[in-house]
Amino acid sequence: MLKNKYFDGVIEAGCDEAGRGCLAGSVYAAAVILPEGYENAELNDSKKLTSRKRNELRSVIERDAVAWAVGIVTPDEIDKINILNASFLAMHRALDALRVRPEAVIVDGNRFKPYHTLPYATIVKGDGKYLSIAAASILAKTYRDDYMERLHAEYPQYDWKGNKGYPTRRHREAIRSFGVTPYHRMSYNLLGDAEPLLPFAEEMSF
């Protein structure tokens, strides 16, 4: 089972993000504070779980957590500040929204922008090592997936229900055929080559 805490004797929040490598959509992050001594053998890196299991565990996390919150940074903001800073900002927004104030933060990965003056630790593959980071990865992933499925209803030709905005062949072929939408990250190499981008062709029928 994953570990409960990194810092001893303080209220610790685990953070993770979802959607950093996507061509479209907001980046989501979550912050989770779990009870002292909490155990759950099913919690793990969200990427190692099925969609059904992630959604089941989301309900468990929201029920059991001392506090949890989700932060969002839009595509326009990503284009202005870059995705690394946007990921940090999404985590900070999640931490801001916690109804219990953390005293330390642990983050999946190897980089983080300090949150106020709180001590923090970056942990490579932390979502497979610490329960609160795993919980945050599940919340960030499931809330972002729900969001991309809502966007899919607006622009079904991009298959966001299936690819969640990631750079699949079908997604890039749709960008070539139909152009970009207001949800695409224009600072990204959307086509994966030097082809010019087209504005979204509203007048086309699908």
Side-chain angles (χ1 to χ4, degrees), residues 158-173:
Y158 297 91
D159 190 35
W160 289 338
K161 186 174 183 179
N163 61 47
K164 302 302 188 290
Y166 282 93
T168 62
R169 174 185 285 185
R170 182 172 174 183
H171 189 179
R172 283 193 155 130
E173 287 176 350

Side-chain angles (χ1 to χ4, degrees), residues 17 77 79 120 143-145:
E17 54 76 27
E77 291 177 302
D79 287 338
Y120 70 89
Y143 275 95
R144 189 180 188 280
D145 283 357

Side-chain angles (χ1 to χ4, degrees), residues 43-70:
L43 285 185
N44 203 344
D45 172 3
S46 64
K47 296 183 291 297
K48 297 180 180 179
L49 304 172
T50 65
S51 176
R52 180 176 179 180
K53 177 55 71 174
R54 286 194 296 266
N55 281 296
E56 288 175 0
L57 286 171
R58 181 167 90 177
S59 298
V60 173
I61 294 161
E62 292 176 354
R63 180 195 69 202
D64 293 351
V66 172
W68 64 271
V70 173

Side-chain angles (χ1 to χ4, degrees), residues 25-39:
S26 300
V27 64
Y28 275 55
V32 178
I33 299 172
L34 294 173
E36 191 78 27
Y38 182 75
E39 296 183 354

Side-chain angles (χ1 to χ4, degrees), residues 132-179:
S132 62
I133 301 179
S137 78
I138 290 166
L139 294 190
K141 172 66 174 167
T142 55
Y143 275 95
R144 189 180 188 280
D145 283 357
D146 289 351
Y147 156 77
M148 291 306 298
E149 290 186 15
R150 293 193 298 272
L151 297 191
H152 175 88
E154 291 185 52
Y155 298 102
Q157 60 273 35
Y158 297 91
D159 190 35
W160 289 338
K161 186 174 183 179
N163 61 47
K164 302 302 188 290
Y166 282 93
T168 62
R169 174 185 285 185
R170 182 172 174 183
H171 189 179
R172 283 193 155 130
E173 287 176 350
I175 296 171
R176 288 189 181 93
S177 299
F178 305 112

Side-chain angles (χ1 to χ4, degrees), residues 167-195:
T168 62
R169 174 185 285 185
R170 182 172 174 183
H171 189 179
R172 283 193 155 130
E173 287 176 350
I175 296 171
R176 288 189 181 93
S177 299
F178 305 112
V180 293
T181 71
Y183 300 109
H184 279 102
R185 302 175 184 176
M186 299 306 296
S187 56
Y188 277 46
N189 182 5
L190 297 178
L191 295 174
D193 52 34
E195 291 183 36

